[in-house]
Amino acid sequence: MNERQIIDTIAALAGPVDGRLFKGIGDDCAVIGGDSGRAWLLTMDTLIEGVHFDPAFHPPELLGRKAVSVNVSDIAAMGGVPAFALLSAGLPPGFDQDWFAAFARGLARACADYGCRIIGGDTVASPAGYNFSLTVLGEAPAEEVLYRSGARVGDTIWVSGELGLAAAGLALLSSGLGSDNPAFDRLRAKHFDPPARVALGRELAASRLVHAMMDLSDGLATDLAHLCDESGVGARVMAADLPGPAALAAAARLAGADALQWAIGGGEDFELLFTAPAEAADRLRAIGTACGLVLTPVGQIVAGTGVVLVGERADGGPVEQPIAYQGYDHFPDHAGGDDARRAR
């Protein structure tokens, strides 16, 4: 079973519909009705040693920050703001107390920065290494919550920031390459401490310009495929329009990797992916500027299914490549074509 099949199996056993539940499995957060026109947003993410982080090179304080940010990113993708957090910490026998204290400091400082509070959780022994699960509760005006399911044919596809930096940073850190090159600092920082785009998500939701939105955790190829499936549409992505710094191409040359593959399938960018009508472009760019971010149109929503990457042949003609679900999958189905190109 691949990751999607596992989720589908769980979803099929979820039980009867509850009127308080606006959205269950299938989006960045579960959405539950609140008071006075507000909605509660609930999300959970897990960081496992050897899968999501390597304590040999990931500073513990930055790992604590990342544990918060990757969850808050889900809240941002629904147009909400975080409020409370619950932490489950699995610690190995004889764990390094100084290491854990630094992790906890990073966790607490990130919560303070995002305006949420740790209110409980659990601690357990973990013989196989460190693992941390964080549940974050956020809130938003119920009528402004953004889902994956609203994309419409003709919408422009947008992303915030730049793509592929976290994957490049991880590749450099894992191989020990480029440590003396300050041009790669941004790439490593994106893996260590990715910021959640809370202010941008809130502004996009309040603008009522956006039809569908989610965050980029598993790579553009997989996350856009999720958005398209939930919306019943397809997508065309223009390879030439994907935003990334020159350092990304330089890192790819150094690591013997493919910068384009990092951009579409590397994962852990934690930028926002959203769709909106073409005529909203100028207003969306203004929102991005106000939030200190560049927003880039990278393709279009089309009728049908699937996600296609449009590139250019040597003779200048177009070449199209299906890329749906070619991002990160914890349980890749190699026979079915899913491709896990890295271990996070």
Side-chain angles (χ1 to χ4, degrees), residues 49 64 69 77 116 127 130 166-167 201 274-275 337:
E49 180 180 344
S69 295
C116 58
Y130 293 103
F274 59 96
T275 78

PDB file of all heavy atoms in Angstrom, residues 49 64 69 77 116 127 130 166-167 201 274-275 337:
ATOM      1  N   GLU A  49      13.255  10.460  13.747  1.00  0.00           N
ATOM      2  CA  GLU A  49      14.695  10.406  13.515  1.00  0.00           C
ATOM      3  C   GLU A  49      15.024   9.395  12.422  1.00  0.00           C
ATOM      4  O   GLU A  49      14.527   8.268  12.423  1.00  0.00           O
ATOM      5  CB  GLU A  49      15.415  10.020  14.812  1.00  0.00           C
ATOM      6  CG  GLU A  49      16.923   9.943  14.665  1.00  0.00           C
ATOM      7  CD  GLU A  49      17.640   9.567  15.946  1.00  0.00           C
ATOM      8  OE1 GLU A  49      17.027   9.649  17.035  1.00  0.00           O
ATOM      9  OE2 GLU A  49      18.828   9.180  15.850  1.00  0.00           O
ATOM     10  N   GLY A  64      13.254  21.832  16.956  1.00  0.00           N
ATOM     11  CA  GLY A  64      12.078  22.221  17.738  1.00  0.00           C
ATOM     12  C   GLY A  64      11.238  23.241  17.005  1.00  0.00           C
ATOM     13  O   GLY A  64      10.003  23.159  16.979  1.00  0.00           O
ATOM     14  N   SER A  69       6.627  24.609  12.985  1.00  0.00           N
ATOM     15  CA  SER A  69       6.362  25.252  11.696  1.00  0.00           C
ATOM     16  C   SER A  69       5.639  24.344  10.714  1.00  0.00           C
ATOM     17  O   SER A  69       4.756  24.789   9.977  1.00  0.00           O
ATOM     18  CB  SER A  69       7.670  25.738  11.069  1.00  0.00           C
ATOM     19  OG  SER A  69       8.254  26.760  11.842  1.00  0.00           O
ATOM     20  N   ALA A  77      -2.347  27.142   5.461  1.00  0.00           N
ATOM     21  CA  ALA A  77      -2.896  26.733   4.168  1.00  0.00           C
ATOM     22  C   ALA A  77      -4.412  26.748   4.130  1.00  0.00           C
ATOM     23  O   ALA A  77      -5.004  26.755   3.045  1.00  0.00           O
ATOM     24  CB  ALA A  77      -2.394  25.331   3.817  1.00  0.00           C
ATOM     25  N   CYS A 116       0.991  30.749  19.408  1.00  0.00           N
ATOM     26  CA  CYS A 116       0.238  29.617  19.946  1.00  0.00           C
ATOM     27  C   CYS A 116       0.881  29.151  21.249  1.00  0.00           C
ATOM     28  O   CYS A 116       1.996  29.537  21.588  1.00  0.00           O
ATOM     29  CB  CYS A 116       0.142  28.477  18.940  1.00  0.00           C
ATOM     30  SG  CYS A 116       1.711  27.810  18.358  1.00  0.00           S
ATOM     31  N   PRO A 127      12.628   3.293  21.848  1.00  0.00           N
ATOM     32  CA  PRO A 127      13.892   2.554  21.692  1.00  0.00           C
ATOM     33  C   PRO A 127      14.609   2.817  20.376  1.00  0.00           C
ATOM     34  O   PRO A 127      15.830   2.677  20.299  1.00  0.00           O
ATOM     35  CB  PRO A 127      13.442   1.091  21.780  1.00  0.00           C
ATOM     36  CG  PRO A 127      12.145   1.122  22.507  1.00  0.00           C
ATOM     37  CD  PRO A 127      11.495   2.403  22.116  1.00  0.00           C
ATOM     38  N   TYR A 130      14.667   9.332  18.529  1.00  0.00           N
ATOM     39  CA  TYR A 130      13.747  10.426  18.820  1.00  0.00           C
ATOM     40  C   TYR A 130      12.576  10.423  17.836  1.00  0.00           C
ATOM     41  O   TYR A 130      12.755  10.175  16.638  1.00  0.00           O
ATOM     42  CB  TYR A 130      14.460  11.775  18.694  1.00  0.00           C
ATOM     43  CG  TYR A 130      15.521  12.042  19.726  1.00  0.00           C
ATOM     44  CD1 TYR A 130      16.869  11.928  19.398  1.00  0.00           C
ATOM     45  CD2 TYR A 130      15.185  12.434  21.018  1.00  0.00           C
ATOM     46  CE1 TYR A 130      17.866  12.193  20.337  1.00  0.00           C
ATOM     47  CE2 TYR A 130      16.171  12.700  21.962  1.00  0.00           C
ATOM     48  CZ  TYR A 130      17.517  12.576  21.627  1.00  0.00           C
ATOM     49  OH  TYR A 130      18.479  12.829  22.548  1.00  0.00           O
ATOM     50  N   ALA A 166      14.617  23.239   0.177  1.00  0.00           N
ATOM     51  CA  ALA A 166      14.776  22.300   1.288  1.00  0.00           C
ATOM     52  C   ALA A 166      15.393  20.988   0.825  1.00  0.00           C
ATOM     53  O   ALA A 166      16.255  20.420   1.500  1.00  0.00           O
ATOM     54  CB  ALA A 166      13.424  22.048   1.955  1.00  0.00           C
ATOM     55  N   ALA A 167      14.949  20.495  -0.328  1.00  0.00           N
ATOM     56  CA  ALA A 167      15.503  19.249  -0.863  1.00  0.00           C
ATOM     57  C   ALA A 167      16.976  19.413  -1.193  1.00  0.00           C
ATOM     58  O   ALA A 167      17.800  18.523  -0.928  1.00  0.00           O
ATOM     59  CB  ALA A 167      14.727  18.814  -2.101  1.00  0.00           C
ATOM     60  N   GLY A 201      -1.236  33.341   4.223  1.00  0.00           N
ATOM     61  CA  GLY A 201      -2.446  32.525   4.165  1.00  0.00           C
ATOM     62  C   GLY A 201      -3.672  33.274   4.651  1.00  0.00           C
ATOM     63  O   GLY A 201      -4.751  33.185   4.055  1.00  0.00           O
ATOM     64  N   PHE A 274      -1.747  27.679  -4.486  1.00  0.00           N
ATOM     65  CA  PHE A 274      -3.151  28.076  -4.542  1.00  0.00           C
ATOM     66  C   PHE A 274      -3.564  28.393  -5.971  1.00  0.00           C
ATOM     67  O   PHE A 274      -2.726  28.571  -6.860  1.00  0.00           O
ATOM     68  CB  PHE A 274      -3.430  29.275  -3.621  1.00  0.00           C
ATOM     69  CG  PHE A 274      -2.631  30.519  -3.909  1.00  0.00           C
ATOM     70  CD1 PHE A 274      -3.153  31.538  -4.687  1.00  0.00           C
ATOM     71  CD2 PHE A 274      -1.363  30.676  -3.372  1.00  0.00           C
ATOM     72  CE1 PHE A 274      -2.433  32.687  -4.945  1.00  0.00           C
ATOM     73  CE2 PHE A 274      -0.617  31.836  -3.625  1.00  0.00           C
ATOM     74  CZ  PHE A 274      -1.162  32.835  -4.408  1.00  0.00           C
ATOM     75  N   THR A 275      -4.879  28.432  -6.188  1.00  0.00           N
ATOM     76  CA  THR A 275      -5.410  28.773  -7.510  1.00  0.00           C
ATOM     77  C   THR A 275      -6.368  29.951  -7.375  1.00  0.00           C
ATOM     78  O   THR A 275      -7.037  30.116  -6.358  1.00  0.00           O
ATOM     79  CB  THR A 275      -6.147  27.583  -8.158  1.00  0.00           C
ATOM     80  OG1 THR A 275      -7.459  27.445  -7.593  1.00  0.00           O
ATOM     81  CG2 THR A 275      -5.362  26.284  -7.984  1.00  0.00           C
ATOM     82  N   GLY A 337       4.278   3.071  -9.875  1.00  0.00           N
ATOM     83  CA  GLY A 337       4.888   4.258 -10.459  1.00  0.00           C
ATOM     84  C   GLY A 337       5.198   5.358  -9.479  1.00  0.00           C
ATOM     85  O   GLY A 337       5.812   6.346  -9.824  1.00  0.00           O
TER      86      GLY A 337
END
